[in-house]
Amino acid sequence: MSVSGRVIAGRYELSTLIGQGGMGQVWTAYDQRLDRRVAVKLLRPDKVAGQEADELRRRFVRECRVTAQVDHPGLVTVHDAGSAGDEHGDLFLVMQYVDGSDLADHLAEHDPYPWPWAVAVATQLCAVLSAVHAVPIVHRDLKPRNVMVKPDGTLTVLDLGVASVMDSDTTRLTHTGSPIGSPAYMAPEQAMGGAVGPYTDIYALGVLLHELLSGNVPFAGATALGVLHRHLYEPPLPVRQLRPEVPEALEALVLRMLAKDPQHRPASTQEVYEALVPLLPTRGNPSGPLDPTRPFLRPSAPWPDRARTPAAQAVPAAAPVDHRKPDVAQAVDDVKRLLGEGRITQAVDILGAILPAAAQEHGENSSVVRTLRKQYAATLMDDGQYRRALPELRRLGDERAAEAGVADPAALQFRYDAAQCLEQLGEPAAALAEYRALLPYYENQYATTDREIALEVRRRIGHLLLALGDRTAAQDMLRALLYDAERVHGPAHAFPGEIRRTLHWLGQVRG
């Protein structure tokens, strides 16, 4: 069985198991070479008997190569694929780490789902599926758990690694006699083991759209066989009987997409897209985070504020299944090793994950937890994650000031680091206020290090005044700073030289 810490292909270190099924597992992982988060899907050929295992290996590698060629921003990027080459013998697929919420959770959090949102979701999925079908590939397993809603409202489709390349000569892969796919979203022809095509994905998209509009899939049952029987023989309930506010044109489109006969469905996802476009919102503001209408309300707009911890999972799946108690001491050793190797991103995530366990084991106010939090904040800054570092630094600064006084060097350092975060986050007014509040404390100290920090704080104040458009105050600050810096360091030192260049640029110093 795969365990955390296992390295795939000498490069991808498995971190957290977030889902598993009969055919394999999904892990969050780290690319050791590029120090980035990734998602790793492991498939286990040993779960398939005889010649089908060889067929699975052959087709998996081929399909990964083909799907990696699909160029669309709504499709998860495939970084790598192949055979693990170790005693486990797993096939692996390495994908981009996707930040956001999967569509199933998004639906659960916004029930009832606004019908314009459903239209926006389906329209984006049509664009992705059109690119996939042009390869040609059939996704075969489109469902809410395989769709992520990102913070900018755009969607990312996952799990093309098990899609079937359209090739009627290849063997249909099965597991315990069942076709690949999810029964609740499976088209009749797929359930019967017949030929699949773009029309199969159109049916699954119709199921998904029906679910978004009604709150439930059109065909449910106690067993997979019962669900498939209903797909084959029962008509779907028109959504307007459950949601009268849904436009008639949208209800008619969903019923066409759910036609039992593929010939009676829309001819392509392009046709579905064209039918959806008149129903899209055309103006206004997004209603909040993860609003899938955002790309249509504000096309190409920058992402909204991302001041939150990245999603805990790279691809949608069930809650983590690894419930072992974290080993705080081991985690600390791992962080030291990772930082020594320059793998800052992975160290950040381990620190963030271990803090709750450390607080439970040692106490929230213990020296162990305080040290871990300091390391966490410093590592976040090193990783350029200033928005996440800022609240940690403020909390540490407030606690230290309450214990040792506002002039305590450690308390001042936390505030100084917080001011740097504000500066990096493009909040010059807030950063300026913080630096100005700090300056008297450093100027009243006599240690050489404090005098050096005071000079640096004054330099930052001058540059922030420039950023805020107060040129006169900036010039006055920098001229006085140049005089003091030359007295401390001499005129040939790099620090006064930099200030002199700034003043020269402002036209205040000649030659």
Side-chain angles (χ1 to χ4, degrees):
M1 178 179 177
S2 299
V3 295
S4 177
R6 174 186 170 195
V7 178
I8 303 295
R11 176 173 179 179
Y12 308 106
E13 183 177 341
L14 302 185
S15 175
T16 304
L17 177 62
I18 58 175
Q20 61 182 336
M23 291 288 289
Q25 304 170 329
V26 180
W27 291 77
T28 58
Y30 294 88
D31 181 345
Q32 294 180 342
R33 187 176 303 168
L34 298 179
D35 187 31
R36 63 178 175 181
R37 301 178 192 89
V38 292
V40 174
K41 182 162 192 171
L42 299 176
L43 295 184
R44 305 183 61 185
D46 61 303
K47 293 294 183 179
V48 183
Q51 294 183 345
E52 286 190 343
D54 294 333
E55 180 68 10
L56 174 61
R57 289 181 178 277
R58 186 181 67 82
R59 290 190 61 188
F60 175 79
V61 173
R62 186 188 69 171
E63 290 167 18
C64 289
R65 289 172 180 166
V66 175
T67 55
Q69 298 173 15
V70 183
D71 183 17
H72 195 278
L75 191 64
V76 68
T77 302
V78 174
H79 295 315
D80 199 359
S83 177
D86 55 18
E87 70 274 14
H88 301 281
D90 294 337
L91 301 171
F92 70 88
L93 176 65
V94 182
M95 300 166 285
Q96 79 182 94
Y97 181 99
V98 180
D99 186 8
S101 172
D102 74 52
L103 189 57
D105 289 341
H106 197 251
L107 171 61
E109 293 169 5
H110 300 89
D111 186 19
Y113 210 70
W115 71 259
W117 283 25
V119 172
V121 166
T123 305
Q124 293 189 61
L125 292 177
C126 282
V128 176
L129 290 173
S130 292
V132 170
H133 294 163
V135 172
I137 300 172
V138 182
H139 189 287
R140 289 173 53 125
D141 198 19
L142 185 67
K143 56 186 177 184
R145 288 290 181 194
N146 280 342
V147 178
M148 294 288 280
V149 185
K150 294 162 67 177
D152 65 346
T154 59
L155 304 186
T156 300
V157 176
L158 310 172
D159 223 0
L160 268 182
V162 296
S164 175
V165 176
M166 281 189 262
D167 185 348
S168 59
D169 294 332
T170 57
T171 303
R172 181 173 61 86
L173 296 176
T174 65
H175 174 54
T176 63
S178 300
I180 293 175
S182 302
Y185 304 88
M186 192 175 291
E189 66 275 7
Q190 188 176 4
M192 294 293 291
V196 299
Y199 44 82
T200 308
D201 286 341
I202 289 175
Y203 185 93
L205 180 57
V207 174
L208 188 151
L209 187 50
H210 188 289
E211 181 180 8
L212 294 178
L213 294 170
S214 68
N216 292 291
V217 292
F219 306 115
T223 66
L225 188 60
V227 173
L228 297 178
H229 184 274
R230 296 188 67 189
H231 277 292
L232 288 168
Y233 300 110
E234 291 187 18
L237 182 69
V239 293
R240 281 170 52 83
Q241 294 186 23
L242 302 170
R243 296 275 300 277
E245 70 272 21
V246 172
E248 293 182 10
L250 184 55
E251 178 188 70
L253 176 62
V254 172
L255 291 174
R256 284 182 61 208
M257 297 169 73
L258 292 176
K260 308 297 183 188
D261 186 343
Q263 299 300 315
H264 296 160
R265 299 173 202 157
S268 65
T269 48
Q270 177 71 34
E271 183 179 325
V272 177
Y273 175 89
E274 298 298 341
L276 291 169
V277 166
L279 301 173
L280 283 169
T282 56
R283 62 179 64 86
N285 292 313
S287 62
L290 303 178
D291 182 345
T293 64
R294 182 183 295 273
F296 307 100
L297 296 174
R298 302 190 66 209
S300 303
W303 279 40
D305 180 31
R306 303 178 69 184
R308 61 188 183 86
T309 301
Q313 57 188 51
V315 295
V321 297
D322 189 354
H323 300 296
R324 292 173 298 175
K325 183 178 179 180
D327 185 333
V328 175
Q330 181 61 51
V332 171
D333 290 341
D334 290 342
V335 167
K336 291 179 180 177
R337 173 180 57 82
L338 292 167
L339 290 175
E341 296 172 359
R343 291 157 61 186
I344 300 175
T345 299
Q346 189 172 355
V348 163
D349 285 356
I350 290 177
L351 282 166
I354 205 66
L355 274 169
Q360 184 176 8
E361 181 177 338
H362 298 282
E364 184 67 35
N365 297 317
S366 67
S367 59
V368 172
V369 172
R370 188 72 60 85
T371 300
L372 284 172
R373 285 171 50 211
K374 286 190 226 179
Q375 182 67 72
Y376 183 45
T379 309
L380 284 169
M381 287 192 70
D382 288 344
D383 202 31
Q385 299 190 48
Y386 301 107
R387 200 173 295 282
R388 291 174 64 188
L390 180 59
E392 298 291 339
L393 290 165
R394 282 177 166 161
R395 181 182 170 191
L396 287 165
D398 290 344
E399 290 175 353
R400 182 65 182 179
E403 294 169 356
V406 293
D408 175 76
L412 293 176
Q413 184 64 50
F414 288 133
R415 291 182 62 186
Y416 180 73
D417 290 342
Q420 291 187 68
C421 288
L422 290 167
E423 193 175 351
Q424 292 292 333
L425 290 169
E427 300 181 29
L432 177 61
E434 191 64 52
Y435 283 130
R436 278 176 163 166
L438 283 170
L439 185 57
Y441 293 105
Y442 285 114
E443 288 185 324
N444 291 335
Q445 303 294 328
Y446 299 101
T448 301
T449 302
D450 291 321
R451 293 202 301 271
E452 293 288 344
I453 295 176
L455 292 175
E456 175 61 20
V457 169
R458 290 169 65 188
R459 185 186 71 83
R460 289 179 179 272
I461 289 174
H463 283 280
L464 286 168
L465 287 168
L466 281 176
L468 290 167
D470 195 343
R471 186 186 181 102
T472 300
Q475 291 169 341
D476 291 344
M477 170 65 74
L478 292 173
R479 279 200 299 265
L481 177 59
L482 177 61
Y483 176 78
D484 290 339
E486 287 182 337
R487 280 198 312 140
V488 172
H489 295 294
H493 192 274
F495 185 85
E498 180 183 343
I499 301 165
R500 195 179 301 110
R501 284 191 296 272
T502 302
L503 286 167
H504 179 70
W505 173 72
L506 290 171
Q508 298 305 303
V509 176
R510 304 293 180 182

